[in-house]
Every structure is written in structure tokens, then in C-alpha cells.
Amino acid sequence: MCESLDELEMDDYWKEVENITRSVGEAGRGEGGGEGEVQEEEQHKIPEEGEQEEAWLAEAGLTRLFDDTLAADQDQEEDSAVFLSTLTRTQAAAVERRVTTVQQTLLRRRNRQHVPDVRDIFRPPEKDEEPSKFEKGSENGQKEVTSAETETELNLEVAFSEQALSYRDNHQRLKVTTGPNSPDDKLPNFKLLRDKTGQTRIGDLSPLDMKKVRRLVLVEMTALFDTAGIDLKAHKAVKVKSKESGLFGVPLATLLDQDQRRAPGTKVPIIMQRLISHIEEEGLNTEGLLRIPGAATRIKSLCQELESSFYDGMFPWQQLKQHDAASLLKLFIRELPHPLLTVEYLSAFIAVNKLPTKKQQLQALNLLVLLLPEHNRDTLKALVEFFQRVIDHQAKNKMTLNNVSVVMAPNIFMFKGFRSKVTEQQEFSMATSTANIVRLLIRYQNLLWTIPKFIVTQVRQHNMESQRKQNKERAVRKLLKKITTEKPSDKAVPEESSQGFIRVQAPQFSKVSMAVHLTEELQAADVLTRFLSQDSPVAVKQEELYLYEIGGNIKERCLDGETYMKDLFHLNPSAEWVIKAVQ
Amino acid sequence: MSAEEERFKLVVVGGGGVGKSALTIQFIQSYFVSDYDPTIEDSYTKICTVDGKETRLDILDTAGQEEFGAMREQYMRSGEGFLLVFALNDRGSYHEVQKFHTQVLRVKDRDDFPIVLVGNKADLEQQRVISREDAQAFASDNGIHYMESSAKNRYNVDESFLELVKIIRRFQEMESTPPAAHHTGKQKSGGCPCVLL
């Protein structure tokens, strides 16, 4: 089957839309469509001028930049300053643009005098003679992008927005015109530029650092869209009335709360897991799996039956037909009171299509996945993993990447009531673009659920900068107290680095620490092997053990087995290295 | 962790390849490591019962190689008892262990300290170059305990470590007896070991 996504193949999309419409008509849920629409209206309220930017700055933790009543809070002020100091030029420009808008609005609205001037926040670059490590990196990146055609090479060390900017500049200068949606729909195999300090997957960092990641990613995503001149209309999430319990039409958070009380640690709704595993148990070779709908009349009663007997374990799974299960799965996604991709970012996901290159689309998706709340991110991951397993059987079930994407797109993007707001013309263009997003999400899932290195680098800079400030304070206090205590650990660091080894700790083992010689080839996995070859922990499974980087310029990071220890050691020389079970 | 818990820092020192790690791992995990991978510095923890009393031992297995000599002073300062290990089939290691002995006393700035001298590789009797008598004479001259062991055959392994624990206990009990209490004779320290000033 041809890999291109032409209009002919969109037939399935419209068929799916028809099925959905029919299922709403026939199996229409108790509340009725009318109310759903009213709720949507509220969900999609587009904020006033300036309000959107205010919300954006608040989300990035930069409220202080426009609200001087908060300026008295020293901690927050310092935090903002530290955060800003880690931004690249393009990221800073994105922040600046929004601060300016908010200030203009504020001035117009209240005619207030004491709003901080944008020039005070973004002083002209003083330290240009002494570019930071990061800026050097971006310059390297620019050269790289210019010199070679690296469309399929993924550079994770340079901020995506900086890469996009130099791409744009080159293309303007060279007067190269590229259609916004190139006809070539072949998805390339993106090659990752090897990062010796290891890949950081979502979940590898501590919640504290993840908060910083989120702020940075928000700024970076906006900066990336800014380079393409795309204005993201953020939608504010308004609380909607929704069911407090049950399975269908229940908010993801409520559902998971309910599931976690039954099975602690649940990350993906049990009902969804169960539907997926039922479909798989019936065999993934079934032709037209996910595409062929179940019987709409049966779905309604099955739905009610699940609501009443799922948690009791009384639901007759053995009688559930595979296509009905697939329809229930799709219904479950559609019925979520908030879209799986969230009200806030749904339009940003769709706007990804407007980015000029596949690479930039992929990078934007990467950032958007990072911005999703954990529940949504984990649930989406479980879905795309399942879709991939379906696609793996395409020789038998004829469900190619395109087929699955086309069929699933309306279910993921057209949640309850959304369609009523969309004109026919909009819907037509949305069909191809949403299918494309689902395609990218499935195809590149392994790349998308990771934190790009430049973001981790910025988190490290943030941590170092705040530590430096804290240490300064502490030093002053220490001086005042005149405490002179000799700390042996102060000496240990330079000594160890000059000796060329690291000390690996494993508190739950009988061998609690081991000094390991740092060679060029030593990887995190080797360290684990060395430790485990000599010690057999009683209560822990070996697969659950990982080497962690703790302290120094990162709170905590679970290391990818292929991390080169020497390279990472140079990046974070005062870190501790600890073997422990994954949380 | 209760304040009552007894906890000792033991350090295993000696030249390269004499079997420090083999002894330590045999003691901790009850098997003989045959691989020859030079140690830099490993530490272990084990709870054992000596004379009916539970003790947590923190055992530091050190580098025999001269390259890591810089770390010696530091662990010698923190160690509360030392296992000085040499190989019975290696004269060089016997001389080296005598140097370690001097260094421990110098770092501790004392004439005596809890130390057990261990002649390892007793299973290689045919290759022995250090006689039991010589080693015993050196030990006696310096007021330390001497034992011969085989990490391979698990001979005198636990005994060496446990002997050291007993010596540390005796030593620390003496230390905690205030010198001012001399005229009242040795206190029966059945009660609190704290010194009330």
C-alpha cells in the first residue's frame, strides 16, 4: 500500500466521522448533546487581549515581570531572574514579546505608572564578549545547520527555536521556497545525534526539576512557533460539570484517582488498559481492526453494562466482540470531558502542521508532549504504543500507519461537542492535519517521550545559578558566625576527579559503595553490571535497578544505560552516583 | 537507628593482590571471588553478633596499588580498627604491611591501636615464604594479634574480622575509662559508657 496520505485515503476519516455522529445520535449519552455544546462554549472561551499573555507568563512562572505588586517577594524575583538567565536569545525574545503586550494592555487599561519597563528586564546583552556555554552551543548548531543538509538529523543540544530561526534565516536569504505542506509524506527516519551524557526520558527527572522543564518547554514551544510566525491561541480551561465517578465521560484525573485507590501506581485508566488487552487477546491479525465499527446499538448497552459491572469484575468479557471493544475504546477517548490532548494545547497540536519542516513539527510535538499533564501523557503513550502493535500486524490486518492515524484522528481531536464549533471548511483542513499529527505521534513515539538535552542543560544552568546565589548568602552568614569547620567532603571532590574515579553508592546493598575507574568507554550499564556481579540484593529485581545521578546541578536523574560516565562526570562533577530501584 | 547501636569502621589494608577483597567478600557474602580486578575503594556493611552483642560493621576494602596512596591518610584517620593483610607467599607484601603498620600508628599518633595482622593464602602452603614464627614474632613485638587465613578455603576469615571487633571493643572500653579514675581501679563498666563531667 502506498505511504502517501492523499485525499482518497481520507475517505476513512469521513466514514469514521459519520460513525461518530451516528453513535452520538443513537447511543447518545444521558446528558444529551445540547448541554455538551454549552459546556464547550465555555471551555473554548478565547481570552481577551493581553489576558492570554498574562496567563502564559503566569504559567511560565514569570508573573513578576508584569505584576510589580509581587516584586516584594524576593524569592520569586530571584527565581525569575535565574530562570531568565538560562534562556537563549530566541526564547528570551518570546518572553519579551509577551511582556510587552501585557504591559501595553495594562497601561491602556489602568494607565498605571509603575509597571516595570521591558528594558529593565531585558538589558542589552552586556556579556556578549563572554558567551555562556549554551550560547556557544547554539553557534555551533547554527553552523551545523547551515553547512550540511541535516533535515533528518536531530540535534538535541541546540534549542529547537534557535535551529528553526537559523533555518528560516537561511531559507530567506537563499530565497528557497518550501510549501508549508510538502507533498512528500514519507516519514523519514530521524537520526539522533549521539548524546554521550545519555538520553533523558520522561520520568527520569525528579518532580522538582520537571517543574523547571515545564516552564522552559512552554517558553521554548512558544519561541519555536514564533519563528514561524504562528500565533497560538491558548484556550483557557474552564471547569465544566462532569461526572464524579464511573467510566465514560469522567475526567481523566478523577478516573485515575478512582483507579489508584484500587491499584496504587496506576498511570493509565484501568478500563482503557482492559479494553486494549481484550482487543489484543482476540488477535491483532483481524482485518480492519480499529477501522470497522462495532454495532452501534450494542455499544450503548455494553457501555451501560460496563458502567455498572466493570469494577465488580462481573462484566462478561468473553462475550465482547473485538470490533465492539474497539468502538468502546474510541468512545472512551471521545467521551472524556476534556480532550486527551487538553483544552489548552489542542489547537497547538493542530498548529504543528503549519511549521515548515517535518523536523520542526517533530520538535514541536516533542515539546507539546512534555507540556501535557502526566495523566494525559501516560494515557496517550499507552494508546500510541497499542497503535504501533496494531500496525506491526499490518501484513494481516491491513492497518498501516496511515490507516490507523486516519481512523483515530477524529476520535482524538473531535471530543465531545467540539465539532459543532467547527465550520465545514475548517473541518476539511483539519482532517488531513489531525491525521498527520496522529501519524507523527505513533511513528516517533520513542523520540517524543524524551526530554531534549538542551532543556536538561538549561535546568542544570538554573540549578547552578540558584546554588551560586545561595552559596553566596551562606558564605556571608558563615563569615558572620565565624564558623571554621573542616569538611572532609570538600576535599574529596577534587581528589577523586584527579584520581579519575567515581564513587558509586548503593545503600540497600551489603556492598554500600564502590569506587569505579573512569575510562572513556565506561557506561552506566557497565557500572550496574560490575556492582551486580558481586552482590545479589535480596528484595530487588535486577531489571528495576538503575544508576542515578543525584545532586550537583541536577536534583536527580535516572541514567540511560548508554550514558558515558566520564562525559557526564565532566558535566556534573559534584554529583553523587547512586544505584537504586526505579520509583 | 537507635542510639544504642554499636557501629565500627574496619579498614582492610595491605599491598596489591594479597587478597583483601577476597577476604572481605568471603566474609560479607560467603563466596570466593576469583577474578582479579584491582579495587580502588569499596565499602560494605554487615551486622554480626560478637560475644552475644550485635554490631554493625562498616568495612572499607582499600586499594593495594601505590597509585591510590593519596587516599590512605583519609581512611586511616577514620578507621577504628585495621586488618593488615599480606600474602604468605609474597615477601614484598610482608614488608609492605610493616610499613602500613607504622603509618597507621603515625596517623593515629599512638603507640598501639586495634590491629590484626593477617597472613593470607594459607592454602598455598608449598609456596609459603614467610614462616608463621617470623610473622608471630613481629606481631608480638608490636603488641598486635596475628592470624593465618585462606579466603579461598574460608579458613579463619570470619575469625579475623571478629577478633578485630573484640580488640576494638576492649580498646574503646579502656579509652572511655577516664584517666582520673585510675585510683579507684578499673571501673566495672556495666552501665553507661558516657563520661559525665
Side-chain angles (χ1 to χ4, degrees):
Chain A
M1 194 166 268
C2 170
E3 269 280 310
S4 89
L5 194 72
D6 52 32
E7 274 177 33
L8 260 182
E9 289 195 24
M10 293 311 292
D11 279 354
D12 279 341
Y13 184 94
W14 303 113
K15 262 187 216 145
E16 185 67 22
V17 171
E18 218 175 281
N19 288 334
I20 294 170
T21 320
R22 207 173 31 221
S23 84
V24 171
E26 288 177 18
R29 316 239 345 105
E31 271 105 335
E35 200 187 326
E37 273 168 46
V38 175
Q39 287 173 356
E40 277 331 305
E41 202 118 38
E42 272 197 320
Q43 277 197 25
H44 287 266
K45 198 174 83 179
I46 290 175
E48 280 179 56
E49 155 96 49
E51 215 176 86
Q52 182 176 322
E53 285 78 6
E54 252 186 72
W56 185 89
L57 286 166
E59 210 183 335
L62 297 169
T63 318
R64 185 199 71 91
L65 297 193
F66 61 85
D67 192 344
D68 56 346
T69 57
L70 290 171
D73 185 345
Q74 178 119 26
D75 281 351
Q76 214 200 349
E77 179 155 355
E78 266 190 19
D79 176 75
S80 295
V82 169
F83 180 79
L84 290 173
S85 76
T86 70
L87 297 186
T88 69
R89 254 167 293 172
T90 313
Q91 289 170 347
V95 176
E96 189 173 359
R97 216 164 289 139
R98 273 136 198 102
V99 172
T100 312
T101 311
V102 172
Q103 286 176 348
Q104 282 166 354
T105 322
L106 285 179
L107 281 173
R108 227 178 304 131
R109 225 190 281 158
R110 310 177 222 163
N111 210 4
R112 249 168 60 176
Q113 293 302 308
H114 295 293
V115 178
D117 192 287
V118 74
R119 278 162 300 186
D120 293 336
I121 301 162
F122 296 95
R123 298 233 169 73
E126 296 160 40
K127 38 180 191 176
D128 244 9
E129 328 81 71
E130 184 205 356
S132 76
K133 225 200 286 178
F134 193 82
E135 279 168 336
K136 253 185 277 165
S138 72
E139 266 152 30
N140 291 340
Q142 278 170 11
K143 268 177 231 139
E144 233 168 288
V145 177
T146 326
S147 60
E149 182 49 80
T150 52
E151 238 340 274
T152 58
E153 246 173 37
L154 276 188
N155 185 340
L156 301 175
E157 306 213 7
V158 179
F160 297 156
S161 53
E162 304 290 339
Q163 295 182 33
L165 196 67
S166 64
Y167 170 88
R168 190 189 72 188
D169 291 349
N170 289 331
H171 282 244
Q172 276 174 353
R173 208 184 315 133
L174 303 169
K175 292 208 167 83
V176 176
T177 46
T178 45
N181 266 324
S182 65
D184 178 21
D185 262 309
K186 287 245 177 351
L187 295 184
N189 273 318
F190 280 101
K191 202 171 74 194
L192 271 181
L193 291 184
R194 189 105 185 76
D195 177 8
K196 291 191 92 183
T197 58
Q199 196 178 50
T200 311
R201 294 144 301 185
I202 288 172
D204 285 351
L205 295 184
S206 66
L208 208 72
D209 279 342
M210 271 314 274
K211 256 189 217 159
K212 291 174 196 132
V213 166
R214 234 187 144 271
R215 293 169 69 186
L216 285 162
V217 165
L218 178 68
V219 173
E220 168 63 15
M221 181 203 54
T222 312
L224 178 58
F225 278 102
D226 279 358
T227 63
I230 301 164
D231 188 24
L232 293 177
K233 285 271 177 287
H235 297 277
K236 252 167 68 181
V238 177
K239 276 202 176 161
V240 291
K241 259 210 288 184
S242 52
K243 286 163 72 187
E244 297 278 295
S245 65
L247 300 172
F248 292 83
V250 180
L252 211 47
T254 313
L255 197 54
L256 278 164
D257 235 34
Q258 169 182 303
D259 284 355
Q260 278 162 0
R261 260 176 273 136
R262 289 188 166 81
T266 303
K267 295 186 158 181
V268 175
I270 300 175
I271 175 68
M272 200 183 98
Q273 292 186 42
R274 189 66 186 84
L275 284 168
I276 288 176
S277 66
H278 184 78
I279 296 169
E280 296 196 58
E281 279 158 24
E282 299 283 299
L284 291 179
N285 287 336
T286 314
E287 192 174 315
L289 190 56
L290 293 176
R291 181 181 169 193
I292 297 172
T297 44
R298 269 206 307 271
I299 302 300
K300 186 188 177 181
S301 60
L302 282 168
C303 201
Q304 283 165 352
E305 227 174 310
L306 274 170
E307 290 282 9
S308 62
S309 61
F310 174 68
Y311 283 121
D312 306 339
M314 301 303 281
F315 183 78
W317 286 96
Q318 63 288 350
Q319 286 164 34
L320 181 62
K321 293 197 163 52
Q322 196 178 25
H323 292 313
D324 288 351
S327 282
L328 284 168
L329 176 66
K330 292 193 274 192
L331 182 69
F332 171 80
I333 300 165
R334 287 199 309 270
E335 287 283 303
L336 288 170
H338 299 287
L340 185 59
L341 302 178
T342 71
V343 181
E344 293 94 320
Y345 301 116
L346 189 73
S347 56
F349 270 97
I350 297 171
V352 163
N353 282 288
K354 296 186 194 151
L355 291 168
T357 66
K358 275 273 173 303
K359 180 154 99 178
Q360 285 181 28
Q361 294 181 0
L362 183 64
Q363 291 171 330
L365 277 182
N366 185 191
L367 299 170
L368 282 165
V369 166
L370 286 166
L371 281 174
L372 287 179
E374 216 176 317
H375 295 329
N376 300 61
R377 197 162 56 207
D378 293 342
T379 305
L380 181 63
K381 185 77 195 309
L383 274 178
V384 296
E385 280 172 0
F386 167 62
F387 296 154
Q388 186 56 54
R389 291 194 295 271
V390 172
I391 293 161
D392 289 342
H393 290 73
Q394 58 179 286
K396 289 272 166 58
N397 63 25
K398 303 203 176 151
M399 294 305 286
T400 58
L401 174 62
N402 284 341
N403 290 348
V404 172
S405 311
V406 163
V407 165
M408 291 314 297
N411 289 288
I412 292 173
F413 285 89
M414 305 215 168
F415 60 96
K416 216 173 166 183
F418 185 74
R419 290 186 58 225
S420 58
K421 301 280 292 173
V422 178
T423 67
E424 207 172 305
Q425 201 189 354
Q426 277 175 313
E427 183 160 342
F428 195 78
S429 75
M430 261 183 64
T432 9
S433 55
T434 56
N436 184 48
I437 300 307
V438 178
R439 233 155 50 104
L440 295 174
L441 286 171
I442 301 174
R443 176 72 164 77
Y444 300 117
Q445 49 183 293
N446 291 333
L447 297 174
L448 294 175
W449 266 258
T450 63
I451 304 168
K453 185 182 181 185
F454 72 90
I455 294 286
V456 182
T457 307
Q458 286 181 285
V459 171
R460 289 184 194 276
Q461 285 175 344
H462 189 145
N463 289 338
M464 276 192 282
E465 190 57 27
S466 12
Q467 271 166 23
R468 206 180 54 82
K469 290 204 164 148
Q470 271 175 18
N471 287 346
K472 233 183 184 169
E473 269 172 48
R474 215 172 290 149
V476 172
R477 246 179 280 145
K478 214 169 172 180
L479 221 78
L480 290 171
K481 279 191 178 175
K482 280 195 175 176
I483 294 174
T484 46
T485 40
E486 192 199 349
K487 263 186 128 185
S489 62
D490 288 345
K491 277 175 84 183
V493 173
E495 181 205 52
E496 287 183 14
S497 62
S498 64
Q499 296 266 342
F501 65 86
I502 51 167
R503 222 174 271 270
V504 179
Q505 296 167 50
Q508 80 272 45
F509 288 63
S510 58
K511 176 170 187 160
V512 288
S513 91
M514 178 181 195
V516 183
H517 188 54
L518 272 181
T519 59
E520 295 294 335
E521 305 84 44
L522 185 75
Q523 295 186 333
D526 303 331
V527 174
L528 271 173
T529 316
R530 285 272 290 279
F531 230 102
L532 296 174
S533 68
Q534 284 186 21
D535 205 326
S536 39
V538 206
V540 216
K541 279 188 221 132
Q542 300 210 348
E543 314 84 69
E544 286 170 1
L545 288 170
Y546 283 93
L547 181 59
Y548 281 77
E549 169 193 2
I550 296 179
N553 53 36
I554 206 98
K555 186 90 179 72
E556 180 173 299
R557 177 166 169 254
C558 176
L559 298 182
D560 156 23
E562 287 176 32
T563 307
Y564 286 87
M565 298 309 296
K566 194 168 187 176
D567 293 81
L568 184 56
F569 174 78
H570 289 308
L571 199 60
N572 193 1
S574 49
E576 291 189 0
W577 312 95
V578 178
I579 292 176
K580 58 177 190 171
V582 68
Q583 262 87 31
Chain B
M1 230 168 281
S2 71
E4 300 268 313
E5 194 193 53
E6 189 181 52
R7 190 165 185 156
F8 293 133
K9 277 194 173 121
L10 312 188
V11 185
V12 187
V13 295
V18 297
K20 293 181 293 298
S21 299
L23 275 169
T24 310
I25 291 169
Q26 184 65 272
F27 176 59
I28 303 274
Q29 283 148 353
S30 308
Y31 75 97
F32 179 63
V33 279
S34 44
D35 59 319
Y36 190 83
D37 199 2
T39 306
I40 301 174
E41 200 173 285
D42 297 349
S43 59
Y44 300 81
T45 184
K46 185 182 170 99
I47 296 172
C48 47
T49 309
V50 187
D51 292 338
K53 191 181 176 191
E54 215 173 63
T55 308
R56 175 184 286 275
L57 302 180
D58 296 316
I59 300 169
L60 194 68
D61 179 20
T62 65
Q65 274 66 27
E66 197 54 50
E67 300 94 279
F68 300 104
M71 295 153 76
R72 264 181 214 158
E73 289 254 343
Q74 200 178 320
Y75 65 63
M76 283 188 178
R77 247 180 279 133
S78 62
E80 294 173 282
F82 295 84
L83 226 53
L84 299 188
V85 187
F86 69 97
L88 291 167
N89 63 346
D90 177 2
R91 186 166 296 281
S93 75
Y94 180 63
H95 291 311
E96 213 163 339
V97 98
Q98 298 180 358
K99 276 187 248 162
F100 276 110
H101 178 246
T102 319
Q103 197 179 355
V104 169
L105 295 183
R106 201 191 63 228
V107 170
K108 292 293 181 191
D109 193 23
R110 314 200 51 120
D111 296 330
D112 69 319
F113 201 76
I115 290 172
V116 171
L117 181 67
V118 179
N120 190 34
K121 306 198 183 178
D123 49 289
L124 303 175
E125 187 56 40
Q126 280 90 358
Q127 296 163 33
R128 179 194 275 269
V129 292
I130 305 295
S131 71
R132 175 185 284 270
E133 293 69 31
D134 282 359
Q136 184 60 63
F138 171 78
S140 303
D141 287 351
N142 292 283
I144 59 179
H145 197 84
Y146 175 61
M147 295 182 93
E148 294 196 346
S149 71
S150 163
K152 193 177 175 189
N153 298 338
R154 200 176 167 77
Y155 166 68
N156 267 349
V157 175
D158 292 5
E159 289 80 352
S160 306
F161 282 93
L162 301 185
E163 185 60 39
L164 181 57
V165 172
K166 290 180 199 168
I167 293 170
I168 295 172
R169 276 190 190 154
R170 270 196 305 256
F171 180 81
Q172 295 196 348
E173 205 172 296
M174 297 258 292
E175 291 287 292
S176 67
T177 310
H182 264 315
H183 54 91
T184 58
K186 276 233 171 99
Q187 272 185 342
K188 290 269 191 297
S189 55
C192 176
C194 304
V195 184
L196 294 171
L197 295 171

